[in-house]
Amino acid sequence: MNNDCRHVRVAIGGDPHALPPEVTAHIATCAACRQFHEETLSLDGRLRAALELPLTKFRRPAPPARRFAMAASVALAILAGAGVWLFRPQPALAEEVVEHVRHEGGSWGMQEVLPAARIAEVLAKAGVAFDTSMPVVYASACPFHGRRVPHLVVQTADGPMTVMLLAHEKVSERQKFSEDGYQGMLLPAGEGSIAVLARGGEVPDAVAANLVSGVRW
Amino acid sequence: MNARPRGTTGGSPFARLLEMLRPDLVRFAYWLARDRAVAEDVVQETLIRAWKSREELKDQAAARPWLFTIVRREHARLFERKRLPTVDVDQVEALGDPALASDGDAGLEDLRRAIMQLPDEYREPLVMQVLGGLTTTEIGTELGLTQAAVLTRLFRARNRLRVIYGLAAAEDADE
């Protein structure tokens, strides 16, 4: 490894999502540094998941003085929970994603990897930054809930997967769903979320981590 | 302080923004303080201060880094004011803090413990970047470091975690 590679790796390790042009140019010609970049992006997906601590396990037992207040809170929470269960916005979101994808069924058959400029154009329309090592074979800025969202199809080792980058849809935790022959996941990603759909198998965790680590709203 | 700061609940867009970002603020405070009770206190103080200073936030898109910097300053202020004892990282581990637990994903739990064991100078910018979404320039401004120094710290933090993740560590250009 030469000095260029050492400095490129410091830049990648410093911020794998915002590489200076000279670093991008280097990894385009250096397989070892390209692999280092991909590994770092993958690590960042896990890092983000690790930093998102489970707040349900976070609270300490309340002191006795707060128990009456807590009892009322629990009753309210049960009522609120019943309402949440009845209306269940996130399964509804999953259904809407599936419905949207079903209307663009031709997107699954795309084979040709899109040029970076085409992908950048779609992302720019939605105001989203997305960096992935997976080949993108379909990209469209689709109307969804009154906004433009990137609808992508990426090729993975497990086949094509549809990815929708939902900057304005917050989900509280990772949710798997199975709908109309699609297996999918809703993934929390900062202030937004990502919907991923596969056909014929579940979305692998590594793919989910790669996607989450690559998005910036 | 257990009471919810008055004024941060309700229907205003700013109140909703605070509610939305609160979970990540608690997480960030925990990664700084390594103590759940202190983290909750820091976030309560942060929300009160943010509410009082809400006119300073001109662009809601910048709310996240803005709130993260308030958490960091409140954390420092709390330690200064109350002279809290620093938390021994080995003790946190030994307690098996459930905040670090992960259902059925031992790798994630190992990674959390590894992050917890990073020196403050590496852990803090890493959490600010990955969880807070701060740019290296913003982190440099907050920590009083050059951008190059921030990049080096972030590289070294990730380099230590690569090994836990089963990857080879990179050569450090300056070591």
Side-chain angles (χ1 to χ4, degrees):
Chain A
M1 184 165 51
N2 60 34
N3 269 338
D4 280 353
C5 292
R6 286 193 188 92
H7 286 103
V8 160
R9 290 177 193 204
V10 171
I12 293 170
D15 191 350
H17 300 282
L19 302 179
E22 64 273 18
V23 172
T24 306
H26 178 95
I27 63 176
T29 59
C30 175
C33 287
R34 191 161 55 248
Q35 183 185 343
F36 184 84
H37 182 224
E38 286 167 6
E39 288 172 354
T40 307
L41 287 173
S42 171
L43 169 64
D44 256 40
R46 290 290 280 173
L47 256 180
R48 187 161 173 160
L51 292 173
E52 289 181 349
L53 294 166
L55 296 186
T56 49
K57 294 180 180 171
F58 217 77
R59 309 246 173 220
R60 290 177 189 278
R66 294 179 61 205
R67 286 187 188 155
F68 286 115
M70 279 190 66
S73 300
V74 168
L76 278 173
I78 290 168
L79 285 172
V84 167
W85 187 86
L86 282 172
F87 293 105
R88 285 185 292 178
Q90 285 160 5
L93 177 61
E95 285 167 17
E96 288 174 280
V97 167
V98 169
E99 184 64 21
H100 176 86
V101 170
R102 209 167 32 213
H103 281 101
E104 293 189 31
S107 60
W108 289 98
M110 300 293 178
Q111 298 289 332
E112 196 174 331
V113 177
L114 294 179
R118 167 66 187 146
I119 301 164
E121 184 189 333
V122 167
L123 295 173
K125 278 184 190 166
V128 175
F130 183 58
D131 184 10
T132 180
S133 54
M134 292 182 278
V136 178
V137 294
Y138 177 82
S140 171
C142 294
F144 189 79
H145 285 191
R147 300 174 189 272
R148 291 272 164 192
V149 305
H151 170 175
L152 313 173
V153 176
V154 296
Q155 293 290 4
T156 75
D158 297 276
M161 293 189 194
T162 288
V163 178
M164 291 180 71
L165 306 175
L166 307 170
H168 304 282
E169 306 290 340
K170 179 92 175 164
V171 300
S172 55
E173 60 186 3
R174 178 182 291 205
Q175 292 181 28
K176 292 183 180 179
F177 59 88
S178 181
E179 193 91 35
D180 203 16
Y182 296 97
Q183 283 77 45
M185 269 192 201
L186 292 173
L187 304 163
E191 292 170 38
S193 60
I194 300 175
V196 199
L197 264 68
R199 296 186 302 185
E202 289 198 343
V203 177
D205 284 345
V207 171
N210 183 296
L211 294 170
V212 170
S213 70
V215 74
R216 283 283 184 276
W217 309 119
Chain B
M1 180 169 158
N2 291 319
R4 215 177 170 111
R6 290 182 192 282
T8 61
T9 57
S12 82
F14 188 74
R16 286 199 297 274
L17 186 68
L18 292 184
E19 284 299 318
M20 190 178 77
L21 293 176
R22 189 179 186 283
D24 275 350
L25 299 180
V26 175
R27 292 181 179 113
F28 178 49
Y30 177 76
W31 286 113
L32 292 182
R34 297 185 287 211
D35 180 289
R36 284 178 281 155
V38 172
E40 293 280 2
D41 283 352
V42 166
V43 171
Q44 290 292 347
E45 295 294 333
T46 296
L47 295 179
I48 291 167
R49 191 165 290 270
W51 184 260
K52 287 179 181 167
S53 312
R54 60 190 181 279
E55 299 302 325
E56 291 173 16
L57 183 67
K58 304 297 180 199
D59 175 9
Q60 289 218 343
R64 196 178 178 83
W66 182 66
L67 287 165
F68 268 62
T69 58
I70 299 177
V71 167
R72 187 177 172 274
R73 288 170 196 180
E74 286 303 319
H75 172 252
R77 194 172 284 124
L78 188 70
F79 269 76
E80 194 177 299
R81 193 171 65 229
K82 294 190 176 175
R83 298 188 182 282
L84 294 172
T86 53
V87 176
D88 180 344
V89 69
D90 293 329
Q91 193 187 16
V92 171
E93 260 212 311
L95 286 171
D97 194 329
L100 300 179
S102 173
D103 292 332
D105 190 342
L108 202 62
E109 203 166 321
D110 288 345
L111 196 53
R112 285 184 177 141
R113 294 188 190 288
I115 295 168
M116 188 62 84
Q117 287 179 306
L118 287 174
D120 290 351
E121 68 194 69
Y122 295 161
R123 191 180 66 255
E124 194 172 0
L126 186 71
V127 181
M128 290 169 88
Q129 185 188 53
V130 179
L131 188 64
L134 276 74
T135 65
T136 50
T137 307
E138 288 168 336
I139 296 169
T141 303
E142 185 57 23
L143 300 183
L145 296 169
T146 64
Q147 193 183 19
V150 172
L151 285 170
T152 301
R153 288 188 184 192
L154 289 166
F155 161 76
R156 288 180 178 162
R158 285 192 174 88
N159 214 20
R160 291 184 182 208
L161 298 175
R162 281 177 68 87
V163 179
I164 300 293
Y165 192 53
L167 300 169
E171 278 182 54
D172 192 328
D174 297 326
E175 277 182 350

